[in-house]
Amino acid sequence: MGRALVRALRDTGVRVAVLDQPGALAQHPPAPDVPAFALDGSNAASVQQAFTALRALWPDIDGFCNLIGFMKGWQPVAELPVEVFDEVVAGNLRAQFLCAQAALPLLHASGHGAAMVNVSSTLGLDVSKGYAHYSACKAGVIALTKGLARENAPHVRVNAIAPGLTDTAFLQGGTGRATAFGPMNLQRYGDRVPLGRVAVAEDMVGPILFLLGDAARYVTGETMIVDGGVYCQ
């Protein structure tokens, strides 16, 4: 999803920098003209170091997409090891908080109506069996988005998208991470989607660009569902 977004932004002439896990950057290196900064999103010192390096390159930014998330196993709460719960919270909600907090000074330094877009999930709005730990994190991202929007208005707009099931490396655990799941029956899920298919990464690009851009200049604190119509049923 991040790679699709970077391609779209570069195609429109926007300068882009990438912050990601070392393993993900090694697996999918950005283009030579795209600055890249390795970080562990769940580690405060690592996040601060990466954003300090970014600020040395660019003292301000007009937009930030907080595209963080991974899943590890699906188990009922009664059977979920606490270390798995802690890892999922750290890699999702804590990481979104740390990166949002680090990005805010650069966004406030912009004089062009800066915007942040967080990435939640439809599982933050509804919960399936075995996903309560992940859903709790993504619901937290929605609440965090609302808080950030109110605290940083009118200078920085903050919104979120809530993707449905999307055919990316997330379905195996996450880019740059060890495979956590077996293959999923995407055709079976796609048959349930009113638009007739499972989402691909490029389906999320338009909503993110809209929320980052001036067309959404009067939109803040909102979560846009992007799931092909499943949640509206």
Side-chain angles (χ1 to χ4, degrees), residues 17-106:
V18 173
L19 299 96
D20 208 340
Q21 295 184 85
L25 291 175
Q27 189 175 344
H28 299 286
D33 62 335
V34 175
F37 305 90
L39 83 169
D40 174 356
S42 65
N43 182 286
S46 176
V47 170
Q48 195 57 53
Q49 182 178 13
F51 275 86
T52 297
L54 174 61
R55 193 167 193 170
L57 178 67
W58 296 338
D60 60 83
I61 58 176
D62 296 330
F64 175 65
C65 184
N66 207 350
L67 211 169
I68 293 173
F70 85 102
M71 180 60 180
K72 186 171 184 177
W74 53 80
Q75 291 174 282
V77 171
E79 302 171 9
L80 185 70
V82 67
E83 59 270 18
V84 172
F85 177 83
D86 287 344
E87 184 179 355
V88 171
V89 171
N92 287 277
L93 183 56
R94 175 182 168 88
Q96 289 247 4
F97 159 73
L98 289 173
C99 290
Q101 188 180 61
L104 283 173
L106 285 81

Side-chain angles (χ1 to χ4, degrees), residues 93 96 118 120 124 134-147:
L93 183 56
Q96 289 247 4
N118 297 323
S120 179
Y134 178 76
S135 291
C137 296
K138 290 305 187 178
V141 170
I142 294 172
L144 180 65
T145 297
K146 293 178 180 180

Side-chain angles (χ1 to χ4, degrees), residues 107-134:
L107 292 166
H108 276 284
S110 170
H112 306 287
M116 179 188 302
V117 176
N118 297 323
V119 177
S120 179
S121 167
T122 52
L123 285 172
L125 299 161
D126 197 5
V127 184
S128 299
K129 291 180 180 179
Y131 290 88
H133 53 318
Y134 178 76

Side-chain angles (χ1 to χ4, degrees), residues 170-186:
F170 170 86
L171 299 184
Q172 284 74 51
T175 304
R177 294 179 177 271
T179 298
F181 311 115
M184 298 184 71
N185 189 336
L186 297 183

